[in-house]
Amino acid sequence: MASDRIPIGCLGAGRMGRGIAVQFAYAGHDVTLFDLKPRQPEDFAKLAQAAHAEVEGTLAMLADLGLGDPAAVPAIAARVTILPAAEAGALRNLPVVFEGVPEILALKREALAEAAALMAPHAILASTTSTIMVDDLSPAVPNPSRFLNAHWLNPAYLVPLVEISPGAATDTGVTARLMELLESVGKVPVRCAPSPGFIIPRIQALAMNEAARLVEEGVASAEDVDRALRYGFGFRFGVLGMLEFIDWGGVDILHHASRYLESSLGDARYRAPAIVGQHMEEGRLGMGTGSGFLPWGEMDIPAHKRRRLGEMIARLRAEGLARPPILPPA
């Protein structure tokens, strides 16, 4: 699948569908957006015009920012077609379809059922839901072995990550094929079990609430909180990831910091999870002990550290913050 530029379908012509269309069209795929809402012809024409204008505008913006040749934008945008509900029969010709209708369970089930009835029996059908678990949606899909969740992060055409959540009935080959397809267009898919909030929404909900709470408590201004997040939190975690960062500093540091914050602020939300205590008991404290959340004993640690620090320096340069050393007078 990785080498084949297969046609792609999207249920819904809103923000998510348009973002996915940009991603696949940019990578050489023909994409069809299906507007599933019944409309008068003139209303559909307005929607289709707006959707295509947004797709072309996004591609033009990417080209202006250095991603592609501006002269090629019209040809790339021409790969995207918008069809009305009456022409949903075209779904039968599409091997992969993403559902992107609003986050309402009944609406998604209805859209998935309608699409599944028209699609080829073994074509992949994936919901882009950010909140609904796959097994709450799969009953709407005949042959749910070809159904799973694929959570894209906005803007879909820029953020590399796609969270893949197969259901109890999802065929493992379907998961592998979809992940291969996503990798072929420049995405970084990760697999997670069916769980509310997947990976990123769970972590970011906690972080965003805590950032808002810092402003609420007068700890810092909104501007300084965001500055701290951009140049500290985001700078490090954008290179290391959160669990690797724990292993760099040591699980024991997280353990003791969590106990201090829980005690000082009187709030159990800072309490470390049981896995941190388990790592403490087992002496799996991270890079320094050879094991932690990651298997450091299997790595060339000096080479790995050098590579990661090089990535940090590249980010410093991108921010205009890398400076040469001050040399002693000649």
Side-chain angles (χ1 to χ4, degrees):
M1 180 177 287
S3 61
D4 299 330
R5 293 191 177 94
I6 59 173
I8 302 294
C10 295
L11 307 179
R15 180 178 63 173
M16 182 56 69
R18 297 175 193 185
I20 291 173
V22 168
Q23 179 71 42
F24 277 104
Y26 185 92
H29 295 257
D30 290 330
V31 185
T32 304
L33 300 180
F34 293 89
D35 174 37
L36 299 183
K37 185 176 180 179
R39 303 176 194 269
Q40 294 298 317
E42 59 272 20
D43 293 331
F44 171 75
K46 291 178 182 178
L47 172 76
Q49 182 179 20
H52 198 272
E54 182 175 331
V55 167
E56 187 163 359
T58 299
L59 288 165
M61 176 195 67
L62 294 176
D64 287 343
L65 293 172
L67 290 178
D69 180 359
V73 166
I76 297 173
R79 294 172 180 154
V80 179
T81 302
I82 299 97
L83 293 181
E87 297 184 42
L91 284 162
R92 69 174 59 91
N93 302 316
L94 301 175
V96 177
V97 174
F98 294 94
E99 170 271 309
V101 303
E103 290 288 300
I104 300 171
L105 180 60
L107 286 180
K108 286 188 175 291
R109 283 179 172 172
E110 181 181 0
L112 291 167
E114 291 177 3
L118 295 169
M119 292 169 61
H122 299 292
I124 296 174
L125 180 56
S127 174
T128 65
T129 178
S130 60
T131 56
I132 304 173
M133 287 190 291
V134 58
D135 291 328
D136 289 336
L137 294 169
S138 61
V141 180
N143 185 14
S145 64
R146 45 85 173 262
F147 176 71
L148 71 174
N149 280 355
H151 174 220
W152 298 60
L153 279 68
N154 278 309
Y157 52 84
L158 277 185
V159 180
L161 182 71
V162 181
E163 296 178 309
I164 302 297
S165 182
T170 306
D171 185 273
T172 56
V174 166
T175 303
R177 284 162 54 203
L178 185 61
M179 293 182 76
E180 183 182 5
L181 171 66
L182 291 167
E183 287 173 348
S184 77
V185 299
K187 290 302 174 185
V188 180
V190 298
R191 178 172 173 163
C192 62
S195 178
F198 303 97
I199 300 170
I200 295 302
R202 273 184 66 172
I203 294 172
Q204 74 182 13
L206 291 173
M208 288 190 295
N209 280 325
E210 197 64 17
R213 196 171 284 115
L214 287 167
V215 176
E216 178 182 71
E217 294 175 358
V219 174
S221 68
E223 292 78 8
D224 280 342
V225 169
D226 273 354
R227 189 175 175 85
L229 290 171
R230 181 175 179 183
Y231 294 106
F233 190 97
F235 181 84
R236 296 186 299 190
F237 294 140
V239 171
L240 296 177
M242 200 162 283
L243 295 176
E244 182 176 339
F245 176 76
I246 293 172
D247 280 357
W248 274 58
V251 175
D252 53 325
I253 292 179
L254 174 62
H255 170 77
H256 294 303
S258 298
R259 293 182 64 182
Y260 173 79
L261 289 171
E262 181 184 4
S263 173
S264 298
L265 296 173
D267 198 320
R269 72 178 184 268
Y270 294 103
R271 184 176 301 159
I275 192 172
V276 170
Q278 180 182 340
H279 280 208
M280 289 286 291
E281 292 174 4
E282 296 172 356
R284 298 170 55 198
L285 304 185
M287 184 186 292
T289 62
S291 67
F293 283 97
L294 300 181
W296 295 102
E298 302 172 10
M299 300 184 192
D300 181 340
I301 292 178
H304 180 81
K305 289 180 70 173
R306 180 182 177 86
R307 184 167 57 252
R308 288 288 194 249
L309 292 172
E311 292 172 18
M312 287 189 182
I313 290 170
R315 286 180 174 244
L316 278 178
R317 290 196 175 106
E319 292 284 353
L321 295 173
R323 299 180 179 181
I326 304 300
L327 301 177

